[in-house]
Amino acid sequence: MKPLRNDCFALPPGVNWTPVEEALERLRSRLHPVVETEHAVPLSRVNGRILASDVYAPRAHPPSNNSAVDGYALAGPVTDVPCTLPLVDGRSAAGEPFKGQVPAGHAIRILTGAVIPAGTDTVVLEEDCEVRDGQLYLNGTLKAGANARKAGEDIQAQDRILIAGTRLTPTQISVLASVGVESVDVYQKLRVGVLSTGDEVKPVGATVTDWQIYDANRPMLSALVSQLGYELVDLGHALDRADEVKSALETGAQECDLILTSGGVSAGDEDHVSKTLKAHGDISNWRIAIKPGRPLALAMFQGTPVVGLPGNPVAAWVCALRFGAPAMALLAGGEWFEPQAYVMPANFSKNKKPGRSEMLRARVRDGQVEVFGSEGSGRVTGLAWSEGLVELDESAQQIEPGTPVRFIPYGSFGL
């Protein structure tokens, strides 16, 4: 794969605040897949993987005309009713087709999924007819082709059934299997490194003082990477020391296709992530007009893209979803996506000021969207409480109960 340019994240001169949609478009335009192709991977190992090439059907589905119901096959249409038709000895069952020809004016027993015998093209549902003394009695009319599936009506041989960039799910794997595809070409899994920083941050299980906090970001971001289907590389935790941060980034550059960091990306005395990236890489601090979030460091370090997320867990979560998830999808060989939003009535009040987009932790109850009681970005309980985000654009808004708002469920990000 062609590597990313070292200056791919550079902003035009004079750009200060960047609206969310503009930032997303800029990010999308600068990225491309960075992973190699793995050829002929069996269907048993492709769930969640991304197709590297288009797939064409080697045969039709269904491969032959067959019955959609249990009943009797005959030549349609049937318009002169009531009528009787003599039954042919034998039957057509799934896996055991009738091998002869059904004479004109005759009918034959047929079961669901069975090949429709030669000389017939229509099936009468067994509940809609009666059999007595070897005769089929019909009381209602039938259109030609009723209750019959035509060969290839779902998929024709050589149809393109899936396109490159598609993330394979159980339902898509079913489509592949239905036409006999045994293996497909997929991209190798994107390797995503997760690094936490900060003297005040300690891993869960460590002894802490009152001025130290447990690391919520690394477990959260690691779970996000794994749930999105990528290969997690745990880069651990680095103290606010230039040499520690540099060493961790060097490890990530060697082992990962992308590095996610949290904390240390502003311009403070101890923001060693941004300092290290500036000294040894190519960094662009995007000031995005979003709340929570704002600072998002995008950099290249020894040929590997780095996404520097805010240290606050809520802001890290929002930025990882809104910017990181579609970026990772594109780097992994998939398609950049805009998460599906649903316009629903609000069950809250808010006077929003103009200037920045806002992402509120939210969930849906009884057909209405409710938001977490506090907008404080330090309230991690709101993350567990929420099931998605309400996205408010940059404009001033007065929201009252019943006002339509955009709700984005976490499932829209691939979770």
Side-chain angles (χ1 to χ4, degrees):
M1 285 290 181
K2 182 181 177 182
L4 298 177
R5 304 189 321 272
N6 281 339
D7 63 347
C8 67
F9 298 124
L11 289 173
V15 170
N16 190 8
W17 283 99
T18 307
V20 170
E21 294 304 322
E22 183 178 333
L24 288 168
E25 177 54 31
R26 282 182 175 161
L27 188 58
R28 184 201 63 78
S29 67
R30 286 159 168 77
L31 301 178
H32 60 71
V34 296
V35 288
E36 300 296 332
T37 299
E38 190 175 346
H39 296 283
V41 179
L43 293 193
S44 61
R45 296 199 292 111
V46 300
N47 188 36
R49 303 290 292 275
I50 298 174
L51 272 180
S53 57
D54 295 349
V55 181
Y56 295 84
R59 71 183 304 208
H61 182 264
S64 59
N65 297 336
N66 68 90
S67 178
V69 298
D70 289 343
Y72 297 87
L74 47 89
V78 177
T79 57
D80 185 14
V81 291
C83 67
T84 60
L85 298 175
L87 283 175
V88 173
D89 289 337
R91 68 174 191 172
S92 186
E96 296 182 13
F98 180 75
K99 294 181 172 57
Q101 172 99 10
V102 176
H106 287 62
I108 188 171
R109 177 65 168 159
I110 192 168
L111 302 181
T112 303
V115 173
I116 293 179
T120 68
D121 58 11
T122 302
V123 179
V124 57
L125 190 67
E126 63 180 314
E127 292 91 336
D128 295 337
C129 59
E130 186 178 354
V131 174
R132 296 194 308 270
D133 301 324
Q135 299 285 319
L136 180 68
Y137 291 80
L138 301 176
N139 294 315
T141 61
L142 277 176
K143 293 181 179 179
N147 301 313
R149 307 185 186 108
K150 292 185 177 180
E153 69 175 18
D154 188 15
I155 300 170
Q156 294 281 346
Q158 301 308 312
D159 276 355
R160 184 174 66 174
I161 51 176
L162 292 174
I163 62 173
T166 299
R167 185 180 294 277
L168 295 171
T169 64
T171 52
Q172 290 157 335
I173 291 172
S174 172
V175 172
L176 295 170
S178 71
V179 291
V181 174
E182 297 181 65
S183 63
V184 291
D185 296 341
V186 294
Y187 287 111
Q188 293 177 346
K189 283 191 175 185
L190 188 75
R191 298 165 300 175
V192 181
V194 176
L195 172 67
S196 286
T197 66
D199 286 349
E200 80 284 11
V201 176
K202 295 295 180 182
V204 175
T207 301
V208 294
T209 65
D210 289 343
W211 52 268
Q212 293 174 322
I213 59 174
Y214 288 117
D215 184 358
N217 284 345
R218 186 154 57 99
M220 175 182 70
L221 295 173
S222 296
L224 173 65
V225 168
S226 296
Q227 193 163 342
L228 290 176
Y230 308 123
E231 182 179 333
L232 171 66
V233 180
D234 187 354
L235 298 177
H237 169 262
L239 295 174
D240 288 325
R241 310 285 188 272
D243 58 341
E244 283 203 25
V245 173
K246 183 172 180 288
S247 176
L249 290 174
E250 286 174 340
T251 300
Q254 293 173 359
E255 299 181 4
C256 307
D257 303 305
L258 171 74
I259 302 171
L260 293 178
T261 70
S262 61
V265 294
S266 295
D269 292 346
E270 299 298 332
D271 286 323
H272 289 286
V273 173
S274 57
K275 287 183 178 180
T276 301
L277 292 172
K278 187 176 296 183
H280 303 284
D282 193 296
I283 184 172
S284 179
N285 286 297
W286 289 22
R287 297 181 67 206
I288 299 172
I290 188 173
K291 176 184 177 182
R294 194 181 318 186
L296 185 68
L298 299 169
M300 294 296 296
F301 184 83
Q302 297 181 2
T304 299
V306 179
V307 177
L309 300 169
N312 183 290
V314 177
W317 176 250
V318 168
C319 289
L321 289 183
R322 201 67 181 93
F323 299 94
M328 286 188 281
L330 187 53
L331 290 169
E335 295 184 354
W336 178 278
F337 65 86
E338 181 64 24
Q340 176 66 55
Y342 300 88
V343 178
M344 305 185 71
N347 189 20
F348 62 94
S349 299
K350 179 178 175 59
N351 182 17
K352 181 192 173 297
K353 297 178 181 179
R356 288 198 287 170
S357 294
E358 294 192 23
M359 308 292 288
L360 310 178
R361 286 152 286 173
R363 65 186 186 184
V364 174
R365 292 293 183 271
D366 298 324
Q368 295 181 309
V369 182
E370 56 186 36
V371 297
F372 190 59
S374 170
E375 293 183 17
S377 54
R379 298 288 190 93
V380 294
T381 51
L383 293 176
W385 175 92
S386 63
E387 297 168 355
L389 301 168
V390 163
E391 184 177 52
L392 307 177
D393 63 27
E394 292 89 349
S395 64
Q397 298 179 48
Q398 182 65 49
I399 298 172
E400 302 293 346
T403 302
V405 294
R406 282 169 48 86
F407 174 72
I408 307 175
Y410 289 143
S412 290
F413 295 99
L415 300 178

